[in-house]
Amino acid sequence: MQLIAGNWKMHGRLASVAAIDALVAAGPVPGARLLVCPPATLVARFAEAARGSHVEIGGQDCHAEPEGAFTGDISAPMLADAGATHVILGHSERRAGHGETDAMVRAKAAAAHAAGLIPIICVGETLAERDAGATLEVVGRQLAGSLPAGGPLVVAYEPVWAIGTGRTPTPQQVAEVHAFLAARVPAGTPVLYGGSVKPDNAAWLLALPHVGGALVGGASLTPRDFLAIASAVPAARDAA
Ligand code: PGA
């Protein structure tokens, strides 16, 4: 099975539950596990709509503490209570826009585990880092600093320059980083690719060695596109 995860970022209203209804109505996609990560305001509503179905719901961030005087933050137990099964952590938009360090991501991942959530830990290089030949060094450092001790997890490789830009790395570039990451994560950890995954490039991305699924931003907002991406999971991997 490959994990096809949708990162809705700061998009969605209560009426957007129609998207979950559509995914549920479409039924399971062979070889694909579907996860939608909406803004925190929608986690409970989406989880209610997905209950008992093949669709799972996750958060986009959590605090490292379970509760306390942290105005504006959401904790891992709160996400779990709302029906989430996963939480995205260390997305480049949070690392860049909220100053999240590897150590913070690791603490959040430990909090996610304590709450029974599966963390999806994001790593990825900027264009300047790639141009400087530092890609593997950067993702290696982020991985080493962000991974929690023990517990189930998912890792997502998201080159910062490919996010929301319509640009994708070459198959060789994705394969190189995924092979590098696969050798450094606990056995059985899916390594997702993220960054401008669309219905028209999903088939080759998902067929690359060591790619265990996709983290999809923009295209995940449209159920038809999200399902088209999930349907691109190669049949040969169904039994995996
Ligand atoms: P994108 O976003 O698919 O819109 O490029 C991916 C992500 O940031 O997770």
Side-chain angles (χ1 to χ4, degrees):
M1 291 285 264
Q2 292 204 12
L3 176 64
I4 306 300
N7 173 11
W8 276 36
K9 308 192 178 185
M10 199 170 71
H11 298 284
R13 300 287 192 272
L14 284 174
S16 312
V17 74
I20 303 304
D21 294 339
L23 295 178
V24 170
V29 181
R33 194 170 163 188
L34 299 186
L35 171 73
V36 176
C37 301
T41 49
L42 297 177
V43 169
R45 182 71 191 87
F46 279 22
E48 190 184 311
R51 186 174 302 139
S53 81
H54 61 291
V55 179
E56 295 175 279
I57 305 299
Q60 298 177 10
D61 176 47
C62 70
H63 197 278
E65 296 296 330
E67 60 188 12
F70 303 105
T71 302
D73 283 313
I74 308 281
S75 75
M78 289 172 181
L79 287 173
D81 183 53
T85 54
H86 295 65
V87 60
I88 298 169
L89 294 174
H91 189 280
S92 61
E93 287 154 14
R94 296 210 56 93
R95 289 178 186 267
H98 297 263
E100 290 194 6
T101 63
D102 292 333
M104 289 164 71
V105 174
R106 169 179 275 159
K108 289 175 179 216
H113 280 154
L117 299 176
I118 299 175
I120 300 175
I121 297 181
C122 304
V123 299
E125 83 287 2
T126 63
L127 192 56
E129 287 163 343
R130 175 161 284 277
D131 287 346
T135 297
L136 298 183
E137 182 195 322
V138 169
V139 300
R141 189 177 60 231
Q142 289 175 333
L143 193 72
S146 306
L147 288 200
L153 74 143
V154 175
V155 168
Y157 169 53
E158 297 205 303
V160 177
W161 51 276
I163 295 176
T165 59
R167 296 182 58 185
T168 41
T170 64
Q172 291 76 15
Q173 288 172 328
V174 177
E176 180 191 32
V177 177
H178 276 256
F180 177 85
L181 294 173
R184 287 162 179 79
V185 294
T189 301
V191 183
L192 314 184
Y193 169 78
S196 295
V197 178
K198 308 287 179 204
D200 63 1
N201 61 18
W204 69 258
L205 282 164
L206 295 172
L208 291 171
H210 305 298
V211 171
L215 182 53
V216 186
S220 72
L221 295 168
T222 309
R224 197 166 45 114
D225 288 349
F226 192 54
L227 287 170
I229 290 167
S231 302
V233 169
R237 298 247 188 119
D238 284 6

